[in-house]
C-alpha cells in the first residue's frame, strides 16, 4: 500500500533542501513554517536519521540528507508524472508522453515532431523537460522520460534504441568585429591562438571529446577561456566578446547580430540531434511517436 503521508513528507524535504531555509520553503509550499518543521521532524523520526542541520546562518543538509536527496528528487518527479497522468486520464486524454530534450533540440528538431504527434494522436498530452545529453540514457533507463532528444554518439546500446535525426557541418562562431570575420571560410588551424568558449564535457562527453580530437588532428588544443553547459550559451558568450566557439551550422538561426557563424575550410560533420528510447519498456505511445519521426536531415 502506498504511504501517501510519507510521500508528501519527502516532497516537503526536497523543497526545504532546495531552498535551504524553512521559511522560504514554507512560503513555496503555501503553508506556515511550524507545520512544515513538524512534518520534517516526523520524517526524521520515521527514518531514524537527522536530515538537516539548523543554525542562525540557515539550514544545511546533513551528509545523510545529501545522500538521499537525489533519490527523493527522482521520486518527487515521478510523483508529478503520475499526477499529470491521472489528470489527463480524467480529462479523457489517451496518455502522457514525457520527452527530455537538450535546449538546442527544442529550437528546431522537436517543435515539428510535437506538432505532428498532436495531429496524429489528438488525445495525447506531451510533457517536455530540459535535459543535458549525459542525462538522456540514465533518465530513459530509470523510466523518468519516454523519449530523449539529445546528442548521442558512440557504440549503440542493446537497451536503448536511437535514430540520428540531424547532422550538421561544424563552423566557427566569431564576434562580428573579429579579425577573421571578413573571411569566407576559415581553416581550423587558423584558430590555434584563439581563446575558446567550450561546451563543458560533463554535459556531453562524447561530443566534447569529438571536438577536442578534431582540433588535435589539426595541430592544436583549444585554449579554453569559458566552459558553458549549452551551445546556445557558447554563442551568447561569443556575442559578448568572450572568445570563439566551434558550433553546428544548424545553430545559425540562433545567432544574434553580434555573432557570425563562418564555415570551416574542412568539412567536419557532427550529430546534433538523436532520438532515443528504452527498448526494454513496452510503450504504445513511444511506438506511435517513432512512426512520425523521419530520416536524418542535413543542416
Amino acid at each position: 500500500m502506498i504511504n501517501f503521508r510519507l510521500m508528501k513528507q519527502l516532497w516537503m524535504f526536497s523543497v526545504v533542501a532546495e531552498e535551504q531555509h524553512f521559511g522560504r520553503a514554507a512560503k513555496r509550499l503555501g503553508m506556515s513554517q511550524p507545520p512544515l518543521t513538524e512534518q520534517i521532524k516526523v520524517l526524521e523520526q520515521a527514518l531514524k536519521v537527522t536530515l538537516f542541520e539548523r543554525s542562525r546562518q540557515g539550514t544545511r543538509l546533513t551528509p545523510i540528507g545529501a545522500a538521499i536527496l537525489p533519490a527523493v528528487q527522482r521520486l518527487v518527479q515521478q510523483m508529478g508524472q503520475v499526477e499529470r497522468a491521472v489528470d489527463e486520464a480524467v480529462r479523457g486524454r489517451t496518455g502522457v508522453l514525457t520527452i527530455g530534450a537538450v535546449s538546442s533540440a527544442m529550437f528546431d528538431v522537436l517543435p515539428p515532431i510535437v506538432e505532428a504527434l498532436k495531429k496524429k494522436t489528438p488525445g495525447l498530452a506531451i510533457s517536455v523537460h530540459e535535459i543535458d545529453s549525459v542525462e538522456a540514457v540514465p533518465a530513459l533507463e530509470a523510466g523518468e522520460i519516454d523519449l530523449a532528444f539529445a546528442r548521442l554518439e558512440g557504440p549503440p546500446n542493446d537497451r536503448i534504441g536511437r535514430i540520428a535525426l540531424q547532422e550538421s557541418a561544424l563552423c566557427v562562431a566569431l564576434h562580428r568585429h573579429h579579425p577573421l570575420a571578413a573571411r569566407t571560410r576559415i581553416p581550423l588551424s587558423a584558430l590555434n591562438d584563439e581563446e575558446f568558449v567550450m561546451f563543458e564535457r560533463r554535459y556531453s562527453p562524447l561530443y566534447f571529446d569529438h571536438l577536442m580530437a578534431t582540433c588535435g588532428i589539426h595541430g592544436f588544443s583549444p585554449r579554453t577561456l569559458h566552459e558553458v553547459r549549452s551551445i546556445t550559451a557558447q554563442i551568447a558568450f561569443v556575442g559578448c566578446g568572450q572568445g570563439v566557439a566551434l558550433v553546428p551550422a544548424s545553430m545559425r538561426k540562433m545567432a544574434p547580430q553580434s555573432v557570425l557563424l563562418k564555415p570551416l575550410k574542412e568539412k567536419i560533420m557532427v550529430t546534433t540531434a538523436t532520438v532515443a528510447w528504452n527498448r526494454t519498456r513496452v510503450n504504445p505511445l513511444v511506438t506511435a511517436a517513432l512512426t512520425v519521426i523521419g530520416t536524418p536531415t542535413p543542416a
Side-chain angles (χ1 to χ4, degrees), residues 17 67 76 87 97 127 136 166 227 238 241 244 251 257:
V76 169
D87 182 57
L97 183 71
S127 177
Q166 187 183 76
E227 289 187 333
V238 171
V244 304
M251 296 300 292
Q257 291 184 349

Side-chain angles (χ1 to χ4, degrees), residues 6 9-10 13-14 17 40 43-44 47-52 61-76:
L6 176 61
Q9 290 168 346
L10 290 172
F13 159 70
S14 70
I40 296 299
L43 176 61
E44 290 177 321
L47 298 177
K48 297 181 174 60
V49 297
T50 300
L51 298 172
F52 294 104
L61 284 166
T62 63
I64 292 176
I68 71 171
L69 179 60
V72 172
Q73 289 174 325
R74 288 194 295 270
L75 177 61
V76 169

